[in-house]
Structures are given as C-alpha cells and as structure tokens.
Amino acid sequence: MPRAVTHCPDCGQRVTPFAAGCAVCGADLEAARKARAARSAKLSFELPRAPRFGGGTTGRIDWVHIAVAVLVALAIPPVGLLLGLYWASRRHRDGETAMTVAMLAATALAAAALLAPVWFWSHLLHI
Ligand SMILES: [Zn+2]
C-alpha cells in the first residue's frame, strides 16, 4: 500500500490523510495520492523486471537459474536436492542473499518431492 499523503505537494502544509484538497493552496490531494500510488506500483514492478544473468550482485534474481533448480527439483528430486544445496552454498559464498534463499526454496521443494511424493503431488494437483 502506498504511504498516505501527509503534506501538501504544492505548499508543504500538513494535511489530513483523508482531505480531498489542501486547505491553504487548494491543491488536488486526490491526484497527488493517485500519482504516488502509480509511482510505487511502478517501482515494485521494476524490481523483478531487471534480472542480470551472471551479474553477481547482491539481491539480483537469476530467474533462469531458479527455473532450472525448480525443474530439476520436480523432475529428479534427489538431484535437485543436492544441486539446490550446492547452488545455495555457492550463492551464499558470493554474498547473493536473494539467490541463496531462492536456491534453498528449490532445495526444500526437492526435499518435499523426495520425502513425501504422494502427499506432495496430490497437494500440488489439488491447488
Ligand atoms: Zn497546499
């Protein structure tokens, strides 16, 4: 959720979060709220849209690598388990927190598929 507009964008006067317009200069606060909501929506969409493959920067998401890890985890769980742990440790060593978490998630997926295949697949197919 976008943060409420607490100050007039035109004159800086404090306004209530529910005011339709500024009491001092008459600026349209509804428009300001909409613009702010559009801005924050744009920001949250830009994050996953800018993957850099092999960039190696903290927080970068390598979607191809995640897709491969998940596919292997589902197709060949024992291999996915080992690969996921291996990739997670490598990403952790490189300081890539987001990818470490993603690889651990793929590992957990492989572990679930390996340890409880019937439970896992029946839940997956019934969602
Ligand atoms: Zn104002």
Side-chain angles (χ1 to χ4, degrees):
M1 285 299 286
R3 278 172 52 213
V5 173
T6 55
H7 290 83
C8 173
D10 283 353
C11 69
Q13 174 69 32
R14 233 187 127 70
V15 296
T16 72
F18 307 105
C22 175
V24 174
C25 71
D28 187 350
L29 295 177
E30 281 302 328
R33 274 187 202 98
K34 284 203 181 82
R36 182 173 285 214
R39 249 199 325 275
S40 57
K42 188 161 167 267
L43 277 176
S44 63
F45 274 117
E46 272 170 1
L47 199 63
R49 221 192 258 167
R52 294 282 187 283
F53 302 117
T57 316
T58 305
R60 287 252 190 259
I61 301 292
D62 186 345
W63 293 106
V64 171
H65 198 169
I66 293 173
V68 169
V70 168
L71 279 177
V72 174
L74 291 177
I76 330 165
V79 177
L81 191 66
L82 293 174
L83 266 182
L85 283 175
Y86 171 66
W87 281 333
S89 68
R90 277 188 49 178
R91 295 290 184 166
H92 182 68
R93 192 193 57 203
D94 294 345
E96 297 177 47
T97 312
M99 281 304 291
T100 303
V101 171
M103 284 303 137
L104 285 176
T107 306
L109 200 65
L114 183 66
L115 295 175
V118 176
W119 175 88
F120 178 80
W121 285 111
S122 64
H123 275 253
L124 194 73
L125 296 175
H126 281 101
I127 283 172

